[in-house]
C-alpha cells in the first residue's frame, strides 16, 4: 500500500479546501442544534394551530427521548441521503478531472488510493457524528433539564457503523459506475433494498440491515441485539473496500 499516508493527507486537504467541508457538517450541525428545540415545542405548536383538528386527541408531553429519536431519524434519512449523494463521485470525479491519472503515474499503489479515501472519509463522518451527538446531548439537557447519555451515544454509534458501511459502498459504486448521479442512484437503491431486507426477522436481527432500526430502539432505551449487526456491517464494509480496490486496479484511468 505505497503512498497511503500521502493520499490520506491529500483527502484531508480536499475536505478542508472544498465544499465538502460545509455540506455534511452543515446538515449535521443544523439538526443537532434544532432537534431538541423542535422536539420540545412541536407539540405546543400543533396544539396552538390545530386544536380543532385534533379534537379529543391529546398529544403526549415531549421528553428527552423525542429529541434523541429525532436526531437518529435525521441521521438515518437526510444525513444518510446527503452522504450517498456527496460520495457518489468520490472516485469517479477524480478520474474525470485527471487527478487520479496525475497522482497514480507516480510509484504509488492504486489500493492505497482507494483505502485512503475510505479511511479518511469514514473518520470524517465519525467526527461529524460525535460532534453532532455532543451538541444534541447538550441541547437536550438545556431544553428538557435531563439527558441520560447512554441511550443517545449507543444509538449514535450504532448509526455511525451503518454510515461507515455506506461510505464503503459508495466508494465501490463510484469505482464501477462513472456518472456521479448513477452511483448515487445505485446507493439510494441499495438503501431501499436494505430497508426491505430488515423486514425479514433473521436479516433484521443479525445482518447489517438491522441497523436501519436498531439505533432508534437504542435511543428509546430499549435492549436490542447489536453485536451481530455491528460485526457483520463492519465485515461487509471491509469487503466492499476490498472489492473497490480490486475493481480500481482493473480500471483504465
Amino acid at each position: 500500500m505505497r503512498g497511503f499516508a500521502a493520499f490520506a493527507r491529500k483527502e484531508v486537504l480536499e475536505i478542508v479546501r472544498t465544499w465538502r467541508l460545509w455540506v455534511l457538517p452543515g446538515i449535521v450541525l443544523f439538526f443537532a442544534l434544532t432537534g431538541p428545540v423542535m422536539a420540545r415545542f412541536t407539540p405546543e405548536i400543533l396544539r396552538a394551530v390545530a386544536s380543532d383538528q385534533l379534537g379529543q386527541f391529546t398529544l403526549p408531553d415531549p421528553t428527552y427521548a423525542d429529541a434523541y429519536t429525532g436526531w437518529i431519524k435525521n441521521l438515518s434519512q437526510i444525513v444518510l441521503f446527503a452522504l450517498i449523494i456527496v460520495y457518489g463521485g468520490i472516485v469517479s470525479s477524480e478520474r474525470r478531472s485527471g487527478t487520479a491519472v496525475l497522482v497514480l503515474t507516480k510509484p504509488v499503489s492504486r489500493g492505497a488510493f482507494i483505502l485512503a479515501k475510505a479511511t479518511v472519509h469514514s473518520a470524517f463522518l465519525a467526527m461529524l457524528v460525535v460532534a453532532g451527538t455532543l451538541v444534541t446531548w447538550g441541547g437536550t439537557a438545556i431544553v428538557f433539564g435531563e439527558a441520560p447519555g447512554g441511550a443517545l451515544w449507543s444509538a449514535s454509534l450504532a448509526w455511525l457503523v451503518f454510515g461507515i458501511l455506506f461510505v464503503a459502498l459508495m466508494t465501490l459504486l463510484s469505482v464501477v459506475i462513472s456518472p456521479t448521479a448513477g452511483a448515487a442512484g445505485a446507493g439510494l437503491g441499495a438503501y431501499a433494498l436494505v430497508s426491505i431486507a430488515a423486514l425479514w426477522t433473521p436479516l433484521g436481527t443479525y445482518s447489517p440491515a438491522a441497523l436501519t432500526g436498531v439505533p432508534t430502539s437504542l435511543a428509546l432505551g430499549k435492549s436490542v441485539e447489536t453485536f451481530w449487526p455491528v460485526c457483520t456491517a463492519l465485515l461487509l464494509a471491509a469487503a466492499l473496500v476490498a472489492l473497490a480496490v480490486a475493481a480500481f486496479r482493473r480500471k483504465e484511468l
Side-chain angles (χ1 to χ4, degrees), residues 24 31 56 67 95 110 125 128 132 146 149 162 189 194 201 213 218 221 229 236 243:
L24 282 178
F31 287 117
Q56 299 300 317
R95 290 176 57 211
R110 288 195 181 197
L125 179 64
L128 296 182
E146 59 174 336
F162 194 57
V194 169
T201 302
L218 291 172
L236 180 56
L243 286 173

Side-chain angles (χ1 to χ4, degrees), residues 33 43 67 77 102 124 136 141 147 155-156 163 178-179 216 235:
L33 288 170
Q77 296 179 1
L102 180 63
F124 180 52
T136 298
S156 295
S178 293
T216 299
L235 287 172

Side-chain angles (χ1 to χ4, degrees), residues 1-248:
M1 290 291 176
R2 297 187 307 274
F4 175 83
F7 283 136
R9 286 194 297 270
K10 167 187 164 297
E11 290 300 314
V12 171
L13 289 174
E14 284 190 359
I15 290 172
V16 172
R17 294 175 179 175
T18 65
W19 53 271
R20 287 178 183 170
L21 177 64
W22 307 105
V23 178
L24 282 178
I27 294 172
V28 169
L29 182 61
F30 174 79
F31 287 117
L33 288 170
T34 61
V37 177
M38 293 298 295
R40 172 64 180 83
F41 293 106
T42 294
E44 294 184 11
I45 295 171
L46 290 175
R47 292 189 192 106
V49 302
S51 57
D52 294 338
Q53 289 79 3
L54 291 174
Q56 299 300 317
F57 180 76
T58 302
L59 293 173
D61 291 332
T63 68
Y64 67 85
D66 295 306
Y68 289 0
T69 55
W71 165 244
I72 296 301
K73 180 180 178 181
N74 288 325
L75 285 178
S76 300
Q77 296 179 1
I78 299 173
V79 173
L80 183 62
F81 293 167
L83 182 151
I84 290 171
I85 293 169
V86 166
Y87 289 135
I90 187 172
V91 177
S92 59
S93 62
E94 296 209 27
R95 290 176 57 211
R96 287 193 301 272
S97 67
T99 304
V101 176
L102 180 63
V103 297
L104 290 172
T105 53
K106 301 175 182 180
V108 291
S109 166
R110 288 195 181 197
F113 182 81
I114 296 297
L115 187 59
K117 284 186 173 294
T119 301
V120 169
H121 289 284
S122 293
F124 180 52
L125 179 64
M127 292 172 59
L128 296 182
V129 171
V130 169
T133 303
L134 281 171
V135 172
T136 298
W137 193 16
T140 301
I142 292 171
V143 173
F144 289 97
E146 59 174 336
L152 177 63
W153 282 101
S154 60
S156 295
L157 293 176
W159 183 87
L160 175 60
V161 173
F162 194 57
I164 289 173
L165 174 60
F166 269 83
V167 171
L169 174 63
M170 295 314 300
T171 302
L172 172 60
L173 291 176
S174 188
V175 170
V176 300
I177 303 175
S178 293
T180 299
L188 293 172
Y191 173 74
L193 290 175
V194 169
S195 299
I196 294 170
L199 298 176
W200 188 38
T201 302
L203 290 178
T205 304
Y206 301 108
S207 78
L211 294 177
T212 58
V214 162
T216 299
S217 297
L218 291 172
L220 291 170
K222 297 179 180 179
S223 178
V224 293
E225 173 66 47
T226 57
F227 178 78
W228 287 110
V230 168
C231 287
T232 54
L234 292 175
L235 287 172
L236 180 56
L240 291 172
V241 172
L243 286 173
V245 170
F248 192 61

